[in-house]
Amino acid sequence: VHRVVSFYRDSLQRISSLPSVISASAVSHIPATGGWSTEKFAIEGRPERTPGEMQVTNFLVAAPDYLRTMHISLVKGRDFDVHDTEGAAKVAIVSSEFVRRYFPGAEPVGQRIKIGGAAAESATIIGVVGDVKRFMFDRGQRPTVYVPHAQRPVLSMGFVLRTSGDPQKITSSVRAQLLAVDKEQPVFAVKTMETIITEQVSGVRVGAAAMLFFGLLALLLSAIGVYGVVANSVEQRTHEIGIRMAVGARADDILMMVLRQTARLAAFGLVLGLIGAFAMSQAMVKTMFGMITLNLSTFVFFTALLAAVAVVASYIPARRAASVNPMITLRHE
């Protein structure tokens, strides 16, 4: 146990001494990676829960400076420091969601909680921090408890660094510092938080790209379909158009007549399409919570785009109808 604590303490001291490192820490599970631990807990002074009512919280072991390194806001109280050692009084930090659920209207700092089994030693809450999602697609916040690594050491921890420059440029220096503490320790999965998040949403991006491609394909097919329908309609009404022009209708009148009829059909289709698109969007928002939201401007833009495509697709056959020679048409009939 002492060797584990010493390894992380000495490693962090060495890493923090690097010129471009602003702060460094370590944590049992890095946010957004999907990994997490849970622990049973009890609040001192409250009635014991039955086994079926056992309270469970997300549980993280962290080194000093973790909150500062990850820019997790400290709502009240203090962070862990070098004095929170094995022989010192046991302490813990809880998340805002933990307070909302278990200390509504009460002061959490100074309260004591027991984390783990019945034999676990109680810890005093010394701080409250902002909520952090453990996974990108979590629908809501979950209560979380942090304890200092020196008081509850774990073998596997991830180092987190905040640097003043490109973090990738100091990878070799960080690796050298870790190997200087223990040359047998492997250093792997060195990534920026941006990379971690990108990897998590890569599937969503691929799906979005596929949807964009098929959406553009559908738009093209719609334009071809509108063109074909209007052209066929104009072809069938050539005689009617010829008569209209023979009795005084102008080319602009014929053009506007065809465009108005097309616009009415397009408007009807757009209304039905918007209803379906809104229903589908609602389902996608619920399925991909936190990744997409309903945006009125998006609906307005694509509705206008589809309307414009319908008008443009119908303009060519409408223009052709307006150029019909009534004498030739009537003579043919």
Side-chain angles (χ1 to χ4, degrees):
V1 172
H2 294 292
R3 290 182 60 188
V4 172
V5 173
S6 297
F7 168 76
Y8 285 104
R9 183 188 62 240
D10 296 344
S11 296
L12 287 173
Q13 288 176 351
R14 284 178 166 273
I15 294 172
S16 300
S17 66
L18 294 173
S20 59
V21 174
I22 298 173
S23 63
S25 187
V27 68
S28 53
H29 296 285
I30 296 175
T33 59
W36 221 258
S37 292
T38 57
E39 280 284 1
K40 296 178 290 185
F41 75 95
I43 300 173
E44 198 172 273
R46 297 188 183 180
E48 291 287 339
R49 297 290 185 105
T50 63
E53 298 177 324
M54 189 63 68
Q55 299 172 120
V56 177
T57 179
N58 288 339
F59 178 73
L60 283 174
V61 178
D65 267 348
Y66 174 69
L67 302 179
R68 183 166 72 97
T69 302
M70 297 299 291
H71 279 191
I72 300 173
S73 60
L74 182 63
V75 178
K76 61 174 60 177
R78 69 171 180 88
D79 192 1
F80 301 136
D81 58 34
V82 294
H83 302 293
D84 297 317
T85 57
E86 182 182 5
K90 298 296 185 290
V91 294
I93 294 174
V94 297
S95 67
S96 296
E97 180 62 24
F98 190 97
V99 174
R100 283 191 290 269
R101 292 196 189 187
Y102 304 113
F103 294 101
E107 175 56 58
V109 176
Q111 300 280 355
R112 293 178 63 80
I113 57 176
K114 182 180 293 186
I115 308 163
E121 187 177 345
S122 294
T124 301
I125 297 176
I126 61 169
V128 179
V129 298
D131 295 311
V132 178
K133 289 185 178 181
R134 67 177 184 176
F135 187 60
M136 288 293 297
F137 301 106
D138 279 349
R139 290 184 174 272
Q141 303 293 349
R142 304 186 185 188
T144 304
V145 173
Y146 301 80
V147 297
H149 181 255
Q151 293 186 352
R152 193 155 175 168
V154 292
L155 292 175
S156 178
M157 297 263 281
F159 289 97
V160 290
L161 285 71
R162 183 167 294 278
T163 65
S164 58
D166 183 358
Q168 298 286 5
K169 292 182 179 180
I170 64 167
T171 299
S172 58
S173 300
V174 172
R175 181 179 282 106
Q177 296 299 329
L178 293 175
L179 295 178
V181 177
D182 186 345
K183 63 181 180 180
E184 301 298 328
Q185 289 296 325
V187 180
F188 60 94
V190 181
K191 302 177 181 178
T192 63
M193 285 301 300
E194 182 179 9
T195 300
I196 292 173
I197 294 173
T198 299
E199 289 176 351
Q200 282 204 354
V201 301
S202 59
V204 177
R205 290 183 175 179
V206 171
M211 292 175 67
L212 177 61
F213 170 76
F214 287 113
L216 293 175
L217 180 60
L219 184 63
L220 175 62
L221 293 176
S222 298
I224 295 173
V226 170
Y227 174 84
V229 169
V230 176
N232 183 64
S233 175
V234 169
E235 181 69 25
Q236 292 180 352
R237 297 176 63 185
T238 301
H239 181 61
E240 174 197 339
I241 293 171
I243 295 175
R244 286 177 180 272
M245 296 187 73
V247 296
R250 296 175 302 172
D252 289 345
D253 297 329
I254 300 300
L255 178 65
M256 293 305 301
M257 178 189 73
V258 176
L259 290 179
R260 278 197 301 269
Q261 292 173 350
T262 303
R264 283 197 293 269
L265 291 174
F268 179 72
L270 284 173
V271 170
L272 294 180
L274 281 173
I275 295 173
F278 184 79
M280 182 64 70
S281 298
Q282 289 277 35
M284 291 182 67
V285 167
K286 291 179 180 179
T287 303
M288 306 183 69
F289 181 83
M291 294 300 297
I292 59 175
T293 58
L294 287 180
N295 191 323
L296 180 60
S297 60
T298 301
F299 275 89
V300 172
F301 172 77
F302 282 102
T303 300
L305 177 62
L306 287 170
V309 168
V311 171
V312 171
S314 62
Y315 179 80
I316 296 175
R319 192 69 187 174
R320 186 179 301 158
S323 63
V324 168
N325 188 321
M327 298 306 297
I328 295 177
T329 302
L330 295 175
R331 190 182 303 118
H332 175 73
E333 292 295 329

